[in-house]
Amino acid sequence: EPPALSLSSFTHLLNLVAEMPSPSKTRRDAARVQARTRYLSRAGADEQQISAQVTSEFSGEPAVEPETSQKDSAPLLVVASASEVSSGLHTAEQVPVGLSQEQAVGLAAHHENLASSLKSAPSGEGRKHDEISECGSEASTIPNPSESAGPLPLYADDLAPRINSLVVIRCVRVDEDSGIWGSLPEWADLADAYLPPGRISMKTKDQRKFLTAARKRSVHFAALVVEVDEVYDESTGRMKYRLTVDKRSITQSQDDVVQDRWRQAERTGRLVDLAARASSIRRDLARQLVMYACYKQVLPGSHDSGGLRAFLEGEGCDILDPEEAAANFLMCLGRPRVAAGIVLQALQLPAALERALVESCREERARSVRPRAVSMFHELRPPPCINASLALGRAAAAAEQLLPPEGCTGLRVSIEGAGRYKFSTTCTEDYDESASLFLATASDVARSALHLPQSAEEVSDNTSAPCADRDMSGLPSEHPTLNIGLIGDVANGKSTLCKALTGKRTQQHSSEHKAHGATIRLGYANCCVLRCCNASCPPPGCFSTAPDDGAAKTINCKVCGSAVAVKRRVSFVDCPGHAELMATMLSGVSVFDAAIVVASANAPCPSPQAAAHISALAAAGHTLMGNIAIVQSKADLLFPSAGSGSAAVVLGQLEQHAVRAAEALRGSVAEGAPFFPVATPHGVGLDAVAAWLAELPARPVGALIAAPRMHCLRSWDVNYPGSHAARVKGGVVGGALVQGTLRAGDVVEIRPGYFTEQVFADKKGVRCTQHHFSVEPLLTRILHTQSGEKELACVGPGGLVGLATTLCPTVSTEDRLQGCVIGRPGTLPPVWELLSLSPVAAVSDASQSLETGSGDSDDDAARLDLLQVGGELRLHAGSDSVLATVKKWRPKRSRLVVALQRPLCADLQSSIAIEARFGETYRLAAHARIADGTQCEILQPDLSCGHLSSLISHPEIEVGKGLEFADTPEVEPREPEGGALIASLTALPDVLEMSVDLHDLELFRERFLDEFLSKRGSSGASQGLTMPPPELSREGGAHCLWKNFLRTVAKLSRPAAHVMSFLASEGMSGHRAGEVTLCSYTWLQHRKMRLAESLQELCAAQAIPADEWEQCVFITTCTGHQVRASAAQDFTKEDFPLEVSLKDYALRLGSRGLGGPGKISQKLCGLMRLYARTFVICHQCRSACTRLERDRRLSHTGVELVCSGCSARRFVPSRFSVAA
């Protein structure tokens, strides 16, 4: 068969072979001619020069230089035509050896057709390889050489690897000198390589390791080409290359990059082979036209005649090595709408091969390139309207209805954060530009949809005013009626008391979780006050509390066991006790109906911070006199320090604590408050607090029929990040109504709302002198109302409520509406930008009276001295807190003028608490009332649905003169808690009257003492912890055995794995070991006492934990069969006698370098004391009755030590394993 050559070389070779004088050596000479022809072609010789040179070398005649060179003309076909062959002009000797007469005729006919097609082709547009598709076709009479199944070069078939380039070498063998011979997978059989032993690695250790791996298996590695030698292979008639390589400077990262390049080139070769098979073209010719041509065009120093380099740079491909050119080109060729026509035309591929190659590249790219998410973030803010959240959902739905472009999936709009929305689609990297344009168009559509007019249904909903004659005579029975504030110093037990009364932990915010449970924001919880239905059950034991979740139905009276009924529902407001969070506490004072001051019984009362809280009650303008109680918390901690005769001593300490506190609080709002000693973790004394809650006066009925007024304490966004924007939920506001009622469907106004600021400075422009605000109130619709976990049809004064509205979530997120006032449009107070406060009175501090023993102090004057012109103040009105600058201060007239830095909504003559800057913090200095001021400019919101009067159910009133209603319908008075008690209580009105004086402090102290001692024992002291000393024995020279390890673990009540982890962290690592036979059990003993009962007695005698006992105790029968004691079954008489053994009962410790058993025992005793102090003993009551709990919300720091006696909690190191 003729060799695999191009058409011109093939025909030229046939002519040379035909003219040779030695036809017997045709095949060998043909291979030599082929190799010499390629060599001369690389040297730049043209067709005639090659013909003359090869003829002279093989025939012995001198070469004749041609007179003219026709490089631009078509190649000469020096073969006989079909007519000449058929007519016999060419004899049999002139026919090339190896071809029959029929094949020669077919060859001549094929050349004639090819010559005519080349002549008829337009200039510059003909493909010089169009004949390739005909060579392998069925109609062709030319024999198609069989395609080689072996590997082909990936880069070139007639060029050697470049010097200083990186190649991949496959190790073939290792010679005696430790030199490595290998082949080059990238160059197939065209080249081989040799790696000298001195060039493997710079380190001897790495060289030995590499040689060991090379001898065991065939390894692939990257190396640097140092030398290239050309060798002529007579067996194949081709030039081969022998490389000398160096591996010393190759790093692991470079090795990985080169091998990845090789694998990518192999994938490219398979892709070209697939296209060649689809177009019926030989593999070697297809690779020569595609891969080898790309390699030669990008070689250093070569001219980019086909524009391949410019094409790759335009597509964003970095051309680092010529070996990557073909892979990058085919990768770009698979992209849709790629402009590769110039490069394909320069490569001059056959039409069939070009089509198959493009199709294969696109299929491969679609299979290999994975779709990815393309997203953009945009802010969507609806214009001021009532149904803002509905407008957002409508805009997101309109954007999602857009048809996606080619290559992209449907659009999804999700919520990312406050005001930020994520527009995302999925596509491959080829359609990134289309996806970006699609997302930008979708965002424009969403913004346009926000400003569309509302639909007819929305307008009808907006214009429908609340019904004026609806029933306002009462509230649902599930509605709380009073708000109880919990105030006091930090760590005095406010949150613990709230949890004991309500069953709810008020620390819900993530910042509070990270602060290990400290109260940072206002906490809320509801509870039911229960009363025993038995008329003869004495108070206060007949009162109790329960969570407001229906649990009261399953509770019985703890005194007589009778059923209980709900007397009242209340809400607790848990205030932070830190001095830095005084502003947070003041924002919650505005909704208090009563207050509980929590003070530790083992500390002076009131502390400075508790005194500041009590003073804030007066500064806020609330008349809470008589509605304040003082709870003496942590009274159980007085017992450990009392010693002998603890009952009498504790009683005296409680009495002295109450007397001193009453003297210090004389003249404050807490004067005459009752004292209730409690031990919250034990539930002692809580019935007295429940009785006080039941005795509080009810809210007057007239507050229900007034215009609704609500102070906003919290506001938040209930949409989780990633949720669907088309189903966006409106903002939620929480707070307490001071008057009136609200229900679902009501349209309410929120002031101040949006505002714009204009700053006026002095003449020099140095400092701000006044702020001017333009205010646009918010209008929204209530979707539903809720108190605690219950959704109510109507909410009113008393209790903390939440309103789900149609507000834009951006407005309500992160307490942005805290301090706002909510009510019906047109009934809210004015909004101020400049205030005149008078009279200004200093706030007295009860802690000063406690220290000096007198209520008269110079501290009041010192507090007023903090008010300086130009100074900065912090004003508290209702639930709002605003910074202000002092404009004028007249101490004699007691008049203060301040410029607000933010609008404030408040009534005339409303109380203002004033905090002045004291160093780096603020200090409560005075309180005053609003006498006059400058109001902000109020802009009426655009309702897009008629006039404002259609939304108002009551006539507008004059601001500052109270709430007056004409023709108010008379309402039949009733108890606001009506329906809460059962019929048995209503039939016995005398039961509702208290038969015990809540101010009888001695009675409550004695009841507390009796109840506490009955629960804790007569001594009242906590149990200590006693551990047995370690029993050690030597086990070899490097270990010792701790025999009573399980007994120590049982005393600590901790998992053995946790103790072992602690010892390992302290340098005493060990593992369980040891085996001992406890007893032998005969058939006679089994008949007298069952095996299970005997094992229980043995477990109690050994003092081993039950879980460890089940894992370590084994039973062995007389036949040698061994089972665990926990899995033991009934044994037959043939199995006896049984042996009971204990495995892994001891702890084997490494003792090398630690001394003898005596020193190790001393160290273990010290470590066990440290372990007990850290993980067992309660630091508050010194009790060992504790447990370890993992807080799932605090996975990084969430291991707590919880005391079963006093319920104290503290965090412990979490690096050890803790059983759930």
Side-chain angles (χ1 to χ4, degrees):
E1 296 178 353
L5 294 176
S6 62
L7 178 61
S8 58
S9 300
F10 178 61
T11 55
H12 182 62
L13 178 61
L14 291 179
N15 294 328
L16 292 177
V17 173
E19 297 174 1
M20 286 181 186
S22 312
S24 60
K25 300 185 295 182
T26 300
R27 292 188 179 275
R28 184 184 63 185
D29 294 340
R32 293 174 61 190
V33 168
Q34 179 184 8
R36 190 58 178 166
T37 302
R38 288 186 177 181
Y39 177 79
L40 295 176
S41 177
R42 290 200 306 269
D46 58 6
E47 191 78 25
Q48 295 183 5
Q49 292 174 349
I50 294 174
S51 176
Q53 184 68 26
V54 174
T55 303
S56 64
E57 291 181 2
F58 289 91
S59 63
E61 300 178 0
V64 180
E65 293 291 338
E67 297 181 359
T68 58
S69 176
Q70 301 176 354
K71 294 184 179 180
D72 299 332
S73 61
L76 295 177
L77 305 178
V78 232
V79 293
S81 62
S83 59
E84 292 175 336
V85 173
S86 59
S87 62
L89 296 178
H90 281 70
T91 61
E93 290 84 2
Q94 296 175 330
V95 177
V97 178
L99 295 180
S100 62
Q101 184 74 17
E102 292 79 6
Q103 291 175 340
V105 173
L107 175 64
H110 172 71
H111 289 165
E112 289 180 354
N113 296 334
L114 177 61
S116 60
S117 63
L118 289 175
K119 292 178 182 179
S120 61
S123 176
E125 298 180 0
R127 302 296 181 97
K128 65 178 180 180
H129 296 296
D130 283 346
E131 73 278 11
I132 300 177
S133 60
E134 301 178 8
C135 292
S137 61
E138 298 178 357
S140 177
T141 58
I142 302 178
N144 186 12
S146 60
E147 296 187 8
S148 175
L152 295 175
L154 299 176
Y155 307 129
D157 60 348
D158 56 354
L159 294 180
R162 297 177 296 115
I163 296 180
N164 295 329
S165 63
L166 296 177
V167 294
V168 177
I169 299 175
R170 177 182 176 271
C171 177
V172 177
R173 64 184 179 89
V174 181
D175 58 16
E176 297 178 356
D177 298 333
S178 298
I180 298 178
W181 296 85
S183 60
L184 278 69
E186 298 172 294
W187 299 87
D189 57 349
L190 193 64
D192 54 14
Y194 174 68
L195 178 62
R199 297 182 178 181
I200 296 178
S201 176
M202 299 293 292
K203 298 180 180 180
T204 306
K205 183 178 180 181
D206 295 344
Q207 181 175 351
R208 291 176 180 174
K209 185 178 180 181
F210 181 78
L211 289 174
T212 302
R215 289 188 178 99
K216 290 182 179 180
R217 62 185 183 275
S218 178
V219 297
H220 292 80
F221 60 91
L224 183 70
V225 179
V226 179
E227 298 179 3
V228 179
D229 296 330
E230 292 187 1
V231 180
Y232 176 75
D233 189 0
E234 293 187 357
S235 62
T236 60
R238 302 174 60 183
M239 299 296 296
K240 298 190 66 173
Y241 307 99
R242 180 165 297 170
L243 313 180
T244 303
V245 296
D246 190 349
K247 190 181 176 297
R248 291 174 295 181
S249 61
I250 305 300
T251 62
Q252 183 62 39
S253 59
Q254 289 176 331
D255 189 281
D256 296 339
V257 170
V258 174
Q259 295 205 36
D260 291 342
R261 183 196 69 187
W262 163 48
R263 297 185 185 95
Q264 185 179 9
E266 280 191 334
R267 289 193 295 268
T268 305
R270 288 193 295 268
L271 195 62
V272 174
D273 295 344
L274 181 64
R277 188 179 301 110
S279 57
S280 300
I281 296 178
R282 293 189 326 213
R283 292 172 53 211
D284 53 349
L285 293 179
R287 290 198 180 191
Q288 183 179 3
L289 295 175
V290 180
M291 301 180 65
Y292 304 163
C294 293
Y295 176 78
K296 293 176 182 179
Q297 287 190 31
V298 190
L299 278 174
S302 62
H303 179 63
D304 189 17
S305 58
L308 178 61
R309 187 186 299 272
F311 169 74
L312 294 178
E313 291 178 354
E315 293 295 327
C317 297
D318 297 331
I319 307 175
L320 300 178
D321 296 325
E323 290 80 4
E324 300 177 0
N328 292 337
F329 171 68
L330 294 186
M331 179 186 66
C332 298
L333 192 62
R335 296 176 179 174
R337 299 185 302 274
V338 64
I342 300 178
V343 181
L344 291 174
Q345 184 177 1
L347 292 177
Q348 298 185 0
L349 301 179
L353 178 61
E354 179 180 333
R355 289 192 299 269
L357 188 63
V358 173
E359 183 179 355
S360 300
C361 291
R362 290 182 178 177
E363 291 179 357
E364 177 66 20
R365 186 168 183 84
R367 183 168 52 251
S368 59
V369 179
R370 295 183 177 180
R372 59 180 182 178
V374 180
S375 59
M376 287 186 178
F377 298 92
H378 299 279
E379 291 189 359
L380 297 180
R381 298 185 182 275
C385 61
I386 295 179
N387 297 322
S389 62
L390 301 181
L392 283 172
R394 181 182 58 201
E400 291 179 347
Q401 292 177 359
L402 291 177
L403 293 178
E406 179 186 359
C408 300
T409 59
L411 178 70
R412 175 179 171 83
V413 184
S414 58
I415 301 172
E416 184 65 21
R420 298 182 74 245
Y421 293 84
K422 179 179 179 182
F423 292 72
S424 60
T425 184
T426 303
C427 68
T428 60
E429 60 183 14
D430 304 327
Y431 297 94
D432 284 348
E433 185 176 354
S434 300
S436 300
L437 183 61
F438 175 49
L439 296 180
T441 305
S443 64
D444 295 339
V445 170
R447 291 192 180 96
S448 301
L450 286 176
H451 299 276
L452 292 177
Q454 297 180 355
S455 62
E457 296 180 357
E458 294 175 347
V459 171
S460 62
D461 290 342
N462 294 344
T463 55
S464 59
C467 182
D469 58 350
R470 64 182 179 184
D471 183 17
M472 297 184 180
S473 59
L475 298 174
S477 59
E478 298 87 357
H479 193 289
T481 57
L482 295 177
N483 296 324
I484 312 298
L486 296 173
I487 61 176
D489 206 345
V490 62
N492 277 10
K494 299 183 297 297
S495 300
T496 305
L497 178 63
C498 183
K499 184 178 180 182
L501 294 174
T502 64
K504 178 183 177 181
R505 190 174 182 178
T506 56
Q507 292 85 0
Q508 301 293 329
H509 198 265
S510 59
S511 61
E512 297 172 326
H513 297 167
K514 295 177 183 178
H516 293 179
T519 303
I520 298 177
R521 302 195 177 192
L522 294 176
Y524 311 102
N526 296 346
C527 81
C528 302
V529 180
L530 307 178
R531 173 68 163 86
C532 179
C533 298
N534 186 6
S536 60
C537 187
C542 60
F543 289 95
S544 60
T545 60
D548 191 19
D549 55 0
K553 299 179 180 179
T554 61
I555 297 177
N556 295 327
C557 178
K558 64 179 181 179
V559 177
C560 63
S562 302
V564 295
V566 178
K567 168 67 175 171
R568 162 174 285 165
R569 284 183 170 87
V570 297
S571 289
F572 287 95
V573 183
D574 186 14
C575 300
H578 298 79
E580 296 82 1
L581 302 175
M582 190 68 181
T584 305
M585 180 266 171
L586 286 169
S587 64
V589 171
S590 61
V591 299
F592 288 178
D593 297 312
I596 296 177
V597 182
V598 183
S600 295
N602 57 353
C605 178
S607 64
Q609 189 59 28
H613 282 196
I614 295 174
S615 301
L617 298 178
H622 286 278
T623 57
L624 298 181
M625 185 73 72
N627 291 345
I628 299 178
I630 299 176
V631 171
Q632 296 172 296
S633 63
K634 303 183 180 181
D636 51 329
L637 300 183
L638 300 176
F639 286 91
S641 61
S644 59
S646 59
V649 175
V650 169
L651 197 62
Q653 290 178 352
L654 290 174
E655 182 179 3
Q656 185 179 5
H657 183 269
V659 170
R660 294 195 60 184
E663 294 177 356
L665 295 174
R666 187 177 296 117
S668 66
V669 293
E671 182 179 0
F675 288 80
F676 303 112
V678 298
T680 308
H682 304 278
V684 180
L686 299 181
D687 52 357
V689 179
W692 177 80
L693 293 173
E695 184 67 10
L696 289 174
R699 187 182 300 273
V701 181
L704 296 176
I705 60 176
R709 177 83 54 88
M710 177 179 173
H711 291 292
C712 180
L713 298 176
R714 296 279 299 274
S715 67
W716 59 93
D717 179 12
V718 296
N719 299 286
Y720 290 98
S723 56
H724 197 190
R727 295 189 293 269
V728 62
K729 299 178 181 178
V732 178
V733 294
L737 277 84
V738 295
Q739 61 185 30
T741 59
L742 292 173
R743 64 182 62 197
D746 288 353
V747 175
V748 295
E749 179 184 358
I750 302 176
R751 289 193 179 187
Y754 295 112
F755 64 90
T756 56
E757 178 182 6
Q758 184 179 0
V759 180
F760 296 93
D762 55 8
K763 296 180 180 179
K764 297 182 179 180
V766 177
R767 62 193 180 104
C768 172
T769 57
Q770 187 176 348
H771 298 261
H772 177 69
F773 302 100
S774 298
V775 177
E776 183 177 358
L778 298 174
L779 288 177
T780 185
R781 181 179 298 279
I782 300 175
L783 298 179
H784 61 85
T785 59
Q786 186 170 335
S787 177
E789 300 296 333
K790 296 180 179 180
E791 184 174 347
L792 304 177
C794 178
V795 293
L800 301 170
V801 298
L803 306 179
T805 66
T806 56
L807 283 172
C808 176
T810 308
V811 179
S812 61
T813 185
E814 295 180 355
D815 293 341
R816 293 184 179 178
L817 295 180
Q818 180 180 356
C820 292
V821 182
I822 304 174
R824 294 213 186 98
T827 64
L828 296 181
V831 183
W832 309 93
E833 63 183 20
L834 185 71
L835 289 179
S836 177
L837 306 176
S838 180
V840 180
V843 174
S844 59
D845 195 342
S847 62
Q848 296 292 333
S849 302
L850 183 63
E851 297 176 359
T852 61
S854 174
D856 298 333
S857 176
D858 296 335
D859 185 64
D860 294 350
R863 291 175 184 269
L864 293 179
D865 290 340
L866 297 176
L867 307 179
Q868 301 291 336
V869 176
E872 190 176 79
L873 304 177
R874 189 162 62 186
L875 308 182
H876 301 273
S879 60
D880 202 359
S881 177
V882 182
L883 294 178
T885 304
V886 178
K887 299 289 294 180
K888 296 180 181 179
W889 167 230
R890 300 291 185 265
K892 294 183 179 180
R893 297 182 181 180
S894 186
R895 189 176 186 86
L896 179 67
V897 179
V898 294
L900 305 179
Q901 298 183 16
R902 189 169 56 82
L904 175 65
C905 181
D907 281 312
L908 284 172
Q909 298 302 319
S910 59
S911 182
I912 301 291
I914 304 173
E915 283 187 297
R917 179 173 287 278
F918 185 76
E920 297 296 330
T921 60
Y922 288 90
R923 185 178 181 183
L924 189 61
H927 63 91
R929 292 188 176 274
I930 301 178
D932 199 357
T934 304
Q935 299 184 17
C936 299
E937 178 186 2
I938 298 181
L939 306 177
Q940 294 297 335
D942 183 13
L943 302 179
S944 303
C945 58
H947 300 286
L948 180 66
S949 59
S950 62
L951 302 175
I952 304 175
S953 59
H954 295 285
E956 189 171 356
I957 60 174
E958 186 178 355
V959 176
K961 293 188 177 181
L963 301 175
E964 300 178 0
F965 294 91
D967 301 331
T968 302
E970 298 199 1
V971 180
E972 181 180 357
R974 70 177 188 88
E975 289 294 328
E977 296 89 357
L981 299 181
I982 61 175
S984 60
L985 284 180
T986 56
L988 300 172
D990 56 296
V991 178
L992 300 179
E993 299 295 333
M994 294 294 299
S995 59
V996 62
D997 186 8
L998 291 177
H999 293 272
D1000 190 354
L1001 306 184
E1002 185 176 357
L1003 173 63
F1004 286 106
R1005 284 193 291 267
E1006 292 177 354
R1007 290 189 73 261
F1008 166 78
L1009 190 63
D1010 294 340
E1011 186 177 357
F1012 182 78
L1013 292 180
S1014 64
K1015 286 191 174 183
R1016 292 292 302 272
S1018 58
S1019 63
S1022 59
Q1023 299 294 330
L1025 177 63
T1026 304
M1027 290 184 296
E1031 298 178 3
L1032 302 177
S1033 63
R1034 280 283 189 183
E1035 191 180 41
H1039 296 88
C1040 64
L1041 211 61
W1042 186 0
K1043 295 182 179 180
N1044 59 342
F1045 172 71
L1046 289 183
R1047 188 172 300 177
T1048 304
V1049 170
K1051 286 289 185 180
L1052 295 171
S1053 299
R1054 293 292 180 266
H1058 190 261
V1059 180
M1060 292 171 60
S1061 300
F1062 170 78
L1063 292 175
S1065 67
E1066 298 294 335
M1068 294 287 291
S1069 60
H1071 59 276
R1072 302 283 291 275
E1075 182 176 359
V1076 63
T1077 300
L1078 298 179
C1079 66
S1080 180
Y1081 196 69
T1082 63
W1083 173 255
L1084 183 60
Q1085 292 174 337
H1086 178 65
R1087 293 184 61 183
K1088 294 180 180 180
M1089 180 181 294
R1090 305 300 298 176
L1091 179 60
E1093 298 176 0
S1094 299
L1095 291 178
Q1096 291 179 359
E1097 292 183 359
L1098 193 60
C1099 175
Q1102 293 292 331
I1104 298 176
D1107 54 347
E1108 294 289 342
W1109 178 267
E1110 295 178 357
Q1111 296 294 327
C1112 300
V1113 178
F1114 289 83
I1115 300 176
T1116 307
T1117 63
C1118 62
T1119 59
H1121 180 63
Q1122 192 177 68
V1123 295
R1124 293 184 184 271
S1126 58
Q1129 301 177 356
D1130 294 338
F1131 294 97
T1132 62
K1133 187 176 181 179
E1134 289 77 11
D1135 296 329
F1136 287 85
L1138 304 177
E1139 284 190 1
V1140 181
S1141 59
L1142 184 64
K1143 288 186 177 181
D1144 298 337
Y1145 70 97
L1147 183 66
R1148 179 180 290 148
L1149 300 170
S1151 60
R1152 189 181 299 275
L1154 299 178
K1159 290 186 178 181
I1160 298 177
S1161 178
Q1162 293 179 3
K1163 185 173 183 179
L1164 285 177
C1165 289
L1167 291 178
M1168 287 298 98
R1169 293 192 197 97
L1170 177 61
Y1171 181 87
R1173 288 195 300 267
T1174 308
F1175 297 100
V1176 180
I1177 300 297
C1178 174
H1179 288 181
Q1180 181 165 285
C1181 67
R1182 314 304 300 175
S1183 173
C1185 299
T1186 59
R1187 66 184 183 276
L1188 293 176
E1189 290 183 357
R1190 182 177 294 278
D1191 194 338
R1192 302 300 177 185
R1193 298 169 298 180
L1194 305 174
S1195 57
H1196 54 290
T1197 59
V1199 179
E1200 289 181 306
L1201 180 71
V1202 182
C1203 180
S1204 301
C1206 64
S1207 295
R1209 292 173 175 262
R1210 62 181 176 89
F1211 285 88
V1212 297
S1214 58
R1215 61 180 182 273
F1216 311 118
S1217 59
V1218 180

